[in-house]
Amino acid sequence: MNEQERASERLLPEVATGERKLEHVRLCLEENVAGEGVTSGMERYAFRHNPLPELNFNDVSLETFFMGQNVRTPLLISSMTGGSKTTGAINERLARVANARGWALGVGSIRAAVENPELANTFDVRRWAPDIPVIANLGAVQLNYGFNTADFQRAVEIAGADMLVLHLNSLQEIFQPEGNTDFSGLLQRIENLCHQLDVPVGVKEVGFGMDGVTAQRLYEAGAAFVDVAGAGGTSWVQVEKFRNNNPVRRAAAEAFADWGIPTAESIQEVKALNPDGVLIGSGGLYNGVDAAKALALGADLAGFGRSLLESAVASDEALDQRLEQVEFELRTVMFGIGAGRIEELQGTPRLVERR
């Protein structure tokens, strides 16, 4: 297959599979896995229009800094997938297009590749993304299940990453058929890892949000950044509901459809208690206006996950257009309030609560 054919190939096979990572992709595309009765909270906010922005739209800049790196946009493709031939191809596409557009890139949990080296190439995104921040990803709970510092270092090396994020997914693990549910004593182990690893270590939720006090404890333990990954987008309880054959667990999942801290609330609360902490805002963001709100509330980067997945599966062109649209919407917000740079958007008084 040549480069053009690969770029236009739809990546999701038509045949069913038992692979967990591919099942997750299918469910996110084909089933209603969004939280119900809970939103990101972004709809509670609006920007006050500035009719005289005193700007040339062409001069509005998305450039900013993240973890000491100059980046072309304050936008992140959040951790999604990897661990199989198909999901590896999705990672390759995400990496190519992210690099071309200047988005930071997170990969899905690299646990499978640490345990099975044959899967390492499905997470090797650095070869496709030489110019952007890359974030490796492993579950923090693996610190209680035999993973040591060398395993986490290996995850970083597999992705060619600049940094590592540990994900906190306690409720997902409860409803996941093969879940790891011992979250005891993790804070101390996270602190140890932060001081032992030779790259910055961050911590993220997976769609249920993070409160300010927990974020404060993580920063104090050495976390270089926090990703709130708030409620309002994908609910991983609902994803795992479709995979769980236990009738009690499947029924119980419905009671948690509205579980979590909305993204907007999480960002505000974490920023209020930790004004100097590096912060990623993600969870239920769908467009550049949502991204602008996340940044104005206090985030340093705005992360997108499932809302990009259909485009990522479709083709390079579809994904590129989707990212371009988000960028255009973000720049238009900035022009509309008279903010020429990201620093002027962050903390702007023109973001107000709706009456």
Side-chain angles (χ1 to χ4, degrees):
M1 181 183 298
N2 62 36
E3 188 72 24
Q4 185 174 3
E5 290 172 329
R6 181 174 60 185
S8 62
E9 179 190 15
R10 182 172 174 83
L11 296 178
L12 194 64
E14 298 301 324
V15 297
T17 178
E19 293 180 7
R20 178 171 50 158
K21 296 302 181 183
L22 196 48
E23 282 184 302
H24 283 163
V25 172
R26 284 186 176 281
L27 290 170
C28 285
L29 288 172
E30 299 172 1
E31 301 289 350
N32 179 15
V33 296
E36 296 183 4
V38 63
T39 70
S40 69
M42 294 301 173
E43 75 285 352
R44 293 173 39 215
Y45 295 89
F47 287 100
R48 287 179 57 83
H49 175 62
N50 181 351
L52 186 61
E54 295 282 6
L55 287 173
N56 182 338
F57 179 74
N58 293 331
D59 293 335
V60 174
S61 173
L62 300 185
E63 288 189 8
T64 188
F65 288 89
F66 177 69
M67 297 298 297
Q69 297 186 47
N70 187 26
V71 289
R72 288 164 51 194
T73 76
L75 302 168
L76 165 72
I77 296 179
S78 297
S79 305
M80 278 194 273
T81 194
S84 72
K85 180 180 179 181
T86 297
T87 54
I90 294 173
N91 269 344
E92 177 185 334
R93 176 170 288 163
L94 290 169
R96 285 201 310 268
V97 178
N99 192 72
R101 300 214 64 91
W103 288 45
L105 176 66
V107 298
S109 172
I110 308 180
R111 173 186 169 188
V114 174
E115 295 176 332
N116 182 358
E118 293 179 0
L119 298 174
N121 67 326
T122 71
F123 295 98
D124 181 12
V125 295
R126 179 56 80 189
R127 53 183 164 158
W128 312 110
D131 306 317
I132 58 175
V134 171
I135 307 175
N137 172 23
L138 269 175
V141 75
Q142 298 310 313
L143 289 164
N144 281 349
Y145 286 86
F147 272 49
N148 56 34
T149 302
D151 295 317
F152 287 88
Q153 183 65 43
R154 178 61 182 144
V156 172
E157 293 167 355
I158 286 171
D162 306 281
M163 60 201 83
L164 171 75
V165 71
L166 304 173
H167 66 258
L168 302 174
N169 64 335
S170 54
L171 259 66
Q172 180 188 8
E173 296 287 355
I174 291 291
F175 286 91
Q176 187 168 268
E178 55 282 85
N180 298 137
T181 58
D182 180 8
F183 276 69
S184 61
L186 271 186
L187 183 61
Q188 184 60 60
R189 292 182 174 91
I190 290 172
E191 181 173 358
N192 294 342
L193 186 67
C194 287
H195 291 100
Q196 292 167 357
L197 219 58
D198 60 8
V199 296
V201 178
V203 183
K204 74 184 296 290
E205 238 289 339
V206 299
F208 299 109
M210 190 174 295
D211 63 279
V213 171
T214 298
Q216 186 175 46
R217 295 168 69 202
L218 290 166
Y219 284 125
E220 290 173 351
F225 62 93
V226 162
D227 183 344
V228 300
T234 304
S235 167
W236 283 95
V237 168
Q238 302 311 305
V239 173
E240 298 298 350
K241 172 185 70 177
F242 290 103
R243 300 184 59 247
N244 201 317
N245 293 323
N246 182 314
V248 172
R249 298 294 173 94
R250 286 180 68 99
E254 299 297 330
F256 292 87
D258 64 352
W259 187 270
I261 307 170
T263 301
E265 182 180 332
S266 279
I267 294 172
Q268 282 189 301
E269 187 174 326
V270 171
K271 196 65 177 179
L273 282 181
N274 310 277
D276 297 324
V278 178
L279 178 60
I280 299 173
S282 68
L285 305 188
Y286 293 98
N287 53 52
V289 180
D290 288 340
K293 291 177 181 179
L295 295 165
L297 288 169
D300 295 288
L301 293 185
F304 290 77
R306 184 168 57 92
S307 61
L308 304 180
L309 189 55
E310 177 58 44
S311 298
V313 168
S315 68
D316 279 34
E317 181 182 16
L319 180 60
D320 183 76
Q321 288 181 355
R322 182 76 178 86
L323 301 193
E324 182 181 6
Q325 179 183 335
V326 172
E327 294 169 27
F328 174 78
E329 291 161 348
L330 173 56
R331 292 180 70 226
T332 301
V333 168
M334 294 171 66
F335 183 71
I337 65 170
R341 299 180 300 124
I342 294 299
E343 292 83 356
E344 297 170 8
L345 171 62
Q346 292 170 317
T348 175
R350 288 191 171 271
L351 184 70
V352 296
E353 286 198 64
R354 295 184 188 272
R355 297 176 181 175

